[in-house]
Short mmCIF file of all heavy atoms in Angstrom, two decimals:
data_model
loop_
_atom_site.label_atom_id
_atom_site.label_comp_id
_atom_site.label_asym_id
_atom_site.label_seq_id
_atom_site.Cartn_x
_atom_site.Cartn_y
_atom_site.Cartn_z
N ILE D 18 -14.50 -4.98 -8.14
CA ILE D 18 -15.67 -5.78 -8.59
C ILE D 18 -15.20 -6.99 -9.39
O ILE D 18 -15.68 -8.11 -9.18
CB ILE D 18 -16.66 -4.92 -9.40
CG1 ILE D 18 -17.31 -3.86 -8.49
CG2 ILE D 18 -17.73 -5.77 -10.08
CD1 ILE D 18 -18.08 -2.77 -9.23
N LEU D 19 -14.21 -6.79 -10.29
CA LEU D 19 -13.69 -7.91 -11.10
C LEU D 19 -13.10 -9.00 -10.22
O LEU D 19 -13.35 -10.18 -10.45
CB LEU D 19 -12.64 -7.40 -12.09
CG LEU D 19 -13.13 -6.53 -13.25
CD1 LEU D 19 -11.94 -6.06 -14.09
CD2 LEU D 19 -14.14 -7.29 -14.13
N VAL D 20 -12.34 -8.62 -9.17
CA VAL D 20 -11.74 -9.62 -8.29
C VAL D 20 -12.83 -10.33 -7.48
O VAL D 20 -12.82 -11.54 -7.34
CB VAL D 20 -10.71 -8.97 -7.33
CG1 VAL D 20 -10.28 -9.95 -6.24
CG2 VAL D 20 -9.46 -8.52 -8.11
N ALA D 21 -13.81 -9.56 -7.00
CA ALA D 21 -14.87 -10.14 -6.15
C ALA D 21 -15.72 -11.15 -6.94
O ALA D 21 -16.01 -12.24 -6.42
CB ALA D 21 -15.74 -9.04 -5.58
N ILE D 22 -16.07 -10.81 -8.19
CA ILE D 22 -16.93 -11.75 -8.96
C ILE D 22 -16.09 -12.79 -9.71
O ILE D 22 -16.64 -13.77 -10.22
CB ILE D 22 -17.85 -10.99 -9.97
CG1 ILE D 22 -17.02 -10.27 -11.05
CG2 ILE D 22 -18.79 -10.05 -9.24
CD1 ILE D 22 -17.88 -9.67 -12.15
N GLY D 23 -14.77 -12.57 -9.75
CA GLY D 23 -13.89 -13.55 -10.38
C GLY D 23 -13.94 -13.50 -11.90
O GLY D 23 -13.99 -14.51 -12.57
N PHE D 24 -13.87 -12.27 -12.45
CA PHE D 24 -13.85 -12.10 -13.92
C PHE D 24 -12.52 -11.46 -14.30
O PHE D 24 -12.16 -10.42 -13.74
CB PHE D 24 -15.03 -11.24 -14.37
CG PHE D 24 -15.11 -11.09 -15.87
CD1 PHE D 24 -15.43 -12.17 -16.66
CD2 PHE D 24 -14.86 -9.86 -16.48
CE1 PHE D 24 -15.50 -12.06 -18.05
CE2 PHE D 24 -14.92 -9.73 -17.88
CZ PHE D 24 -15.24 -10.83 -18.65
N LYS D 25 -11.81 -12.08 -15.27
CA LYS D 25 -10.43 -11.62 -15.60
C LYS D 25 -9.64 -11.47 -14.30
O LYS D 25 -8.91 -10.49 -14.08
CB LYS D 25 -10.44 -10.27 -16.33
CG LYS D 25 -11.22 -10.28 -17.63
CD LYS D 25 -10.44 -10.92 -18.75
CE LYS D 25 -11.15 -10.83 -20.08
NZ LYS D 25 -10.57 -11.73 -21.09
N THR D 26 -9.79 -12.47 -13.45
CA THR D 26 -9.39 -12.33 -12.03
C THR D 26 -7.88 -12.11 -11.88
O THR D 26 -7.47 -11.22 -11.11
CB THR D 26 -9.78 -13.61 -11.25
OG1 THR D 26 -11.06 -14.00 -11.66
CG2 THR D 26 -9.79 -13.34 -9.75
N LYS D 27 -7.07 -12.89 -12.58
CA LYS D 27 -5.63 -12.80 -12.37
C LYS D 27 -5.08 -11.43 -12.80
O LYS D 27 -4.27 -10.82 -12.12
CB LYS D 27 -4.92 -13.92 -13.11
CG LYS D 27 -5.22 -15.30 -12.52
CD LYS D 27 -4.40 -16.38 -13.19
CE LYS D 27 -4.63 -17.72 -12.52
NZ LYS D 27 -3.75 -18.77 -13.01
N LEU D 28 -5.59 -10.94 -13.94
CA LEU D 28 -5.14 -9.64 -14.44
C LEU D 28 -5.60 -8.53 -13.48
O LEU D 28 -4.83 -7.63 -13.15
CB LEU D 28 -5.71 -9.41 -15.85
CG LEU D 28 -5.32 -8.08 -16.51
CD1 LEU D 28 -3.81 -7.95 -16.64
CD2 LEU D 28 -5.96 -7.96 -17.88
N ALA D 29 -6.86 -8.58 -13.04
CA ALA D 29 -7.40 -7.57 -12.12
C ALA D 29 -6.61 -7.59 -10.79
O ALA D 29 -6.24 -6.53 -10.26
CB ALA D 29 -8.88 -7.80 -11.87
N ALA D 30 -6.35 -8.80 -10.28
CA ALA D 30 -5.62 -8.92 -9.01
C ALA D 30 -4.19 -8.38 -9.14
O ALA D 30 -3.70 -7.70 -8.24
CB ALA D 30 -5.61 -10.38 -8.53
N LEU D 31 -3.54 -8.70 -10.26
CA LEU D 31 -2.18 -8.23 -10.48
C LEU D 31 -2.13 -6.70 -10.59
O LEU D 31 -1.23 -6.05 -10.05
CB LEU D 31 -1.58 -8.87 -11.72
CG LEU D 31 -0.07 -8.68 -11.90
CD1 LEU D 31 0.70 -9.40 -10.79
CD2 LEU D 31 0.37 -9.19 -13.26
N THR D 32 -3.12 -6.13 -11.28
CA THR D 32 -3.19 -4.67 -11.40
C THR D 32 -3.39 -4.04 -10.02
O THR D 32 -2.75 -3.02 -9.69
CB THR D 32 -4.37 -4.26 -12.31
OG1 THR D 32 -4.26 -5.00 -13.53
CG2 THR D 32 -4.32 -2.77 -12.64
N LEU D 33 -4.23 -4.66 -9.18
CA LEU D 33 -4.45 -4.14 -7.81
C LEU D 33 -3.16 -4.26 -6.98
O LEU D 33 -2.88 -3.38 -6.16
CB LEU D 33 -5.57 -4.90 -7.13
CG LEU D 33 -7.00 -4.48 -7.51
CD1 LEU D 33 -8.01 -5.38 -6.81
CD2 LEU D 33 -7.28 -3.03 -7.15
N VAL D 34 -2.39 -5.31 -7.21
CA VAL D 34 -1.12 -5.47 -6.48
C VAL D 34 -0.18 -4.31 -6.78
O VAL D 34 0.38 -3.69 -5.88
CB VAL D 34 -0.42 -6.81 -6.89
CG1 VAL D 34 1.05 -6.83 -6.45
CG2 VAL D 34 -1.15 -8.00 -6.25
N VAL D 35 -0.04 -3.98 -8.07
CA VAL D 35 0.85 -2.88 -8.51
C VAL D 35 0.36 -1.55 -7.92
O VAL D 35 1.12 -0.77 -7.36
CB VAL D 35 0.93 -2.81 -10.05
CG1 VAL D 35 1.74 -1.60 -10.49
CG2 VAL D 35 1.54 -4.10 -10.60
N TRP D 36 -0.98 -1.32 -8.03
CA TRP D 36 -1.56 -0.07 -7.54
C TRP D 36 -1.40 0.07 -6.03
O TRP D 36 -0.98 1.09 -5.52
CB TRP D 36 -3.05 -0.07 -7.94
CG TRP D 36 -3.81 1.17 -7.54
CD1 TRP D 36 -3.40 2.49 -7.70
CD2 TRP D 36 -5.09 1.24 -6.93
NE1 TRP D 36 -4.35 3.34 -7.22
CE2 TRP D 36 -5.41 2.60 -6.74
CE3 TRP D 36 -6.02 0.29 -6.54
CZ2 TRP D 36 -6.61 3.02 -6.18
CZ3 TRP D 36 -7.22 0.69 -5.97
CH2 TRP D 36 -7.49 2.06 -5.82
N LEU D 37 -1.71 -1.03 -5.32
CA LEU D 37 -1.65 -0.99 -3.86
C LEU D 37 -0.22 -0.83 -3.36
O LEU D 37 0.04 -0.11 -2.40
CB LEU D 37 -2.27 -2.28 -3.30
CG LEU D 37 -2.59 -2.34 -1.81
CD1 LEU D 37 -3.43 -1.16 -1.37
CD2 LEU D 37 -3.29 -3.63 -1.45
N PHE D 38 0.71 -1.50 -4.06
CA PHE D 38 2.13 -1.37 -3.66
C PHE D 38 2.62 0.06 -3.81
O PHE D 38 3.30 0.60 -2.94
CB PHE D 38 2.99 -2.32 -4.50
CG PHE D 38 4.43 -2.37 -4.07
CD1 PHE D 38 4.80 -3.01 -2.90
CD2 PHE D 38 5.41 -1.72 -4.82
CE1 PHE D 38 6.13 -3.02 -2.48
CE2 PHE D 38 6.74 -1.73 -4.40
CZ PHE D 38 7.09 -2.38 -3.24
N ALA D 39 2.23 0.69 -4.93
CA ALA D 39 2.63 2.10 -5.17
C ALA D 39 2.05 3.02 -4.10
O ALA D 39 2.77 3.87 -3.53
CB ALA D 39 2.17 2.56 -6.56
N ILE D 40 0.76 2.85 -3.78
CA ILE D 40 0.11 3.66 -2.74
C ILE D 40 0.78 3.43 -1.40
O ILE D 40 1.02 4.37 -0.62
CB ILE D 40 -1.40 3.29 -2.66
CG1 ILE D 40 -2.15 3.87 -3.88
CG2 ILE D 40 -2.04 3.80 -1.39
CD1 ILE D 40 -3.59 3.46 -3.96
N ASN D 41 1.11 2.16 -1.11
CA ASN D 41 1.70 1.79 0.17
C ASN D 41 3.06 2.46 0.39
O ASN D 41 3.33 3.05 1.44
CB ASN D 41 1.85 0.27 0.24
CG ASN D 41 1.99 -0.23 1.66
OD1 ASN D 41 1.55 0.41 2.61
ND2 ASN D 41 2.60 -1.40 1.82
N VAL D 42 3.91 2.36 -0.64
CA VAL D 42 5.25 2.95 -0.53
C VAL D 42 5.17 4.46 -0.43
O VAL D 42 5.95 5.10 0.30
CB VAL D 42 6.13 2.51 -1.74
CG1 VAL D 42 7.44 3.29 -1.77
CG2 VAL D 42 6.39 1.02 -1.68
N TYR D 43 4.19 5.07 -1.10
CA TYR D 43 4.07 6.54 -1.11
C TYR D 43 3.48 7.06 0.21
O TYR D 43 4.03 7.99 0.81
CB TYR D 43 3.21 6.97 -2.28
CG TYR D 43 3.08 8.49 -2.42
CD1 TYR D 43 4.13 9.24 -2.92
CD2 TYR D 43 1.93 9.13 -2.02
CE1 TYR D 43 4.04 10.62 -3.03
CE2 TYR D 43 1.79 10.52 -2.15
CZ TYR D 43 2.86 11.25 -2.63
OH TYR D 43 2.76 12.61 -2.75
N PHE D 44 2.37 6.45 0.65
CA PHE D 44 1.67 7.00 1.82
C PHE D 44 2.14 6.46 3.16
O PHE D 44 1.98 7.11 4.19
CB PHE D 44 0.15 6.74 1.69
CG PHE D 44 -0.51 7.62 0.66
CD1 PHE D 44 -0.97 7.08 -0.53
CD2 PHE D 44 -0.66 8.98 0.88
CE1 PHE D 44 -1.59 7.87 -1.49
CE2 PHE D 44 -1.27 9.78 -0.08
CZ PHE D 44 -1.73 9.24 -1.26
N ASN D 45 2.71 5.25 3.18
CA ASN D 45 3.10 4.65 4.47
C ASN D 45 4.61 4.52 4.61
O ASN D 45 5.12 3.55 5.13
CB ASN D 45 2.47 3.26 4.61
CG ASN D 45 0.96 3.33 4.72
OD1 ASN D 45 0.42 4.26 5.31
ND2 ASN D 45 0.25 2.37 4.16
N ALA D 46 5.34 5.54 4.14
CA ALA D 46 6.81 5.50 4.19
C ALA D 46 7.29 5.77 5.61
O ALA D 46 7.82 6.84 5.94
CB ALA D 46 7.35 6.55 3.21
N PHE D 47 7.12 4.77 6.48
CA PHE D 47 7.47 4.93 7.91
C PHE D 47 8.97 5.17 8.12
O PHE D 47 9.39 5.75 9.10
CB PHE D 47 7.02 3.68 8.71
CG PHE D 47 7.72 2.42 8.35
CD1 PHE D 47 8.90 2.02 8.97
CD2 PHE D 47 7.19 1.55 7.35
CE1 PHE D 47 9.54 0.85 8.61
CE2 PHE D 47 7.84 0.38 7.00
CZ PHE D 47 9.02 0.03 7.64
N TRP D 48 9.80 4.70 7.15
CA TRP D 48 11.27 4.84 7.26
C TRP D 48 11.72 6.30 7.16
O TRP D 48 12.85 6.62 7.47
CB TRP D 48 11.97 3.99 6.21
CG TRP D 48 11.44 4.21 4.81
CD1 TRP D 48 11.88 5.13 3.90
CD2 TRP D 48 10.37 3.50 4.19
NE1 TRP D 48 11.13 5.05 2.74
CE2 TRP D 48 10.21 4.05 2.89
CE3 TRP D 48 9.53 2.47 4.59
CZ2 TRP D 48 9.23 3.60 2.00
CZ3 TRP D 48 8.56 2.00 3.68
CH2 TRP D 48 8.41 2.57 2.42
N THR D 49 10.83 7.20 6.72
CA THR D 49 11.20 8.62 6.61
C THR D 49 10.91 9.38 7.90
O THR D 49 11.22 10.57 8.00
CB THR D 49 10.42 9.30 5.46
OG1 THR D 49 9.01 9.24 5.77
CG2 THR D 49 10.68 8.61 4.14
N ILE D 50 10.28 8.69 8.88
CA ILE D 50 9.88 9.37 10.11
C ILE D 50 10.73 8.82 11.27
O ILE D 50 10.92 7.61 11.37
CB ILE D 50 8.38 9.18 10.36
CG1 ILE D 50 7.58 9.96 9.33
CG2 ILE D 50 7.96 9.62 11.77
CD1 ILE D 50 6.12 9.73 9.32
N PRO D 51 11.24 9.72 12.15
CA PRO D 51 12.06 9.25 13.29
C PRO D 51 11.33 8.20 14.13
O PRO D 51 10.11 8.29 14.32
CB PRO D 51 12.31 10.53 14.10
CG PRO D 51 12.13 11.65 13.12
CD PRO D 51 11.11 11.17 12.12
N VAL D 52 12.08 7.24 14.65
CA VAL D 52 11.51 6.10 15.38
C VAL D 52 10.74 6.55 16.62
O VAL D 52 9.74 5.93 16.99
CB VAL D 52 12.64 5.12 15.79
CG1 VAL D 52 12.12 3.97 16.61
CG2 VAL D 52 13.35 4.60 14.54
N TYR D 53 11.18 7.63 17.25
CA TYR D 53 10.56 8.04 18.53
C TYR D 53 9.18 8.69 18.34
O TYR D 53 8.45 8.89 19.29
CB TYR D 53 11.48 8.97 19.32
CG TYR D 53 11.86 10.25 18.59
CD1 TYR D 53 11.02 11.36 18.59
CD2 TYR D 53 13.06 10.32 17.86
CE1 TYR D 53 11.38 12.53 17.90
CE2 TYR D 53 13.40 11.45 17.16
CZ TYR D 53 12.57 12.55 17.18
OH TYR D 53 12.91 13.71 16.49
N LYS D 54 8.84 9.03 17.09
CA LYS D 54 7.54 9.66 16.85
C LYS D 54 6.44 8.59 16.72
O LYS D 54 6.64 7.61 16.02
CB LYS D 54 7.57 10.52 15.58
CG LYS D 54 8.45 11.76 15.72
CD LYS D 54 8.21 12.75 14.61
CE LYS D 54 8.95 14.05 14.89
NZ LYS D 54 8.74 15.03 13.82
N PRO D 55 5.28 8.81 17.35
CA PRO D 55 4.18 7.84 17.28
C PRO D 55 3.79 7.52 15.84
O PRO D 55 3.38 6.39 15.54
CB PRO D 55 3.04 8.53 18.03
CG PRO D 55 3.67 9.52 18.92
CD PRO D 55 4.93 9.96 18.21
N MET D 56 3.89 8.51 14.94
CA MET D 56 3.50 8.31 13.54
C MET D 56 4.31 7.21 12.88
O MET D 56 3.82 6.52 11.97
CB MET D 56 3.66 9.64 12.80
CG MET D 56 2.88 9.70 11.51
SD MET D 56 1.11 9.59 11.82
CE MET D 56 0.47 9.68 10.15
N HIS D 57 5.56 7.03 13.32
CA HIS D 57 6.43 5.98 12.76
C HIS D 57 5.77 4.62 12.95
O HIS D 57 5.67 3.85 11.99
CB HIS D 57 7.81 6.02 13.44
CG HIS D 57 8.71 4.91 13.01
ND1 HIS D 57 9.59 5.02 11.97
CD2 HIS D 57 8.87 3.64 13.53
CE1 HIS D 57 10.25 3.87 11.83
NE2 HIS D 57 9.84 3.03 12.76
N ASP D 58 5.36 4.33 14.18
CA ASP D 58 4.72 3.05 14.48
C ASP D 58 3.38 2.89 13.74
O ASP D 58 3.08 1.81 13.27
CB ASP D 58 4.46 2.95 15.99
CG ASP D 58 5.57 2.14 16.68
OD1 ASP D 58 6.53 1.78 15.98
OD2 ASP D 58 5.46 1.90 17.87
N PHE D 59 2.63 3.94 13.68
CA PHE D 59 1.32 3.91 13.04
C PHE D 59 1.46 3.56 11.54
O PHE D 59 0.78 2.68 11.02
CB PHE D 59 0.61 5.26 13.19
CG PHE D 59 -0.75 5.32 12.57
CD1 PHE D 59 -1.84 4.73 13.19
CD2 PHE D 59 -0.93 5.98 11.35
CE1 PHE D 59 -3.11 4.77 12.58
CE2 PHE D 59 -2.17 6.02 10.76
CZ PHE D 59 -3.25 5.43 11.38
N LEU D 60 2.38 4.26 10.88
CA LEU D 60 2.59 4.02 9.44
C LEU D 60 3.21 2.63 9.18
O LEU D 60 2.88 1.97 8.17
CB LEU D 60 3.51 5.10 8.82
CG LEU D 60 2.92 6.51 8.70
CD1 LEU D 60 3.92 7.45 8.06
CD2 LEU D 60 1.63 6.49 7.87
N LYS D 61 4.06 2.21 10.10
CA LYS D 61 4.71 0.90 9.96
C LYS D 61 3.66 -0.21 10.03
O LYS D 61 3.67 -1.14 9.21
CB LYS D 61 5.73 0.71 11.08
CG LYS D 61 6.67 -0.47 10.90
CD LYS D 61 7.68 -0.47 12.04
CE LYS D 61 8.63 -1.64 11.95
NZ LYS D 61 9.51 -1.70 13.11
#
């Protein structure tokens, strides 16, 4: 909501960057799955 309405925008956006990066590395770790598995491409 803060990013959408533009209130404390830079701080809110930076916090979302950190949060999203952490979630991304944790949930979409395609490098841990063999290349031949369809899940590798999906996560990538």
Side-chain angles (χ1 to χ4, degrees):
I18 292 167
L19 290 177
V20 170
I22 64 173
F24 184 68
K25 301 282 184 195
T26 319
K27 293 186 176 188
L28 181 58
L31 191 66
T32 309
L33 281 177
V34 164
V35 174
W36 181 46
L37 193 52
F38 185 74
I40 287 174
N41 199 25
V42 170
Y43 183 75
F44 287 110
N45 294 324
F47 65 89
W48 51 88
T49 62
I50 290 173
V52 177
Y53 59 84
K54 292 195 172 179
M56 199 62 181
H57 174 91
D58 262 5
F59 180 77
L60 290 181
K61 192 176 178 185

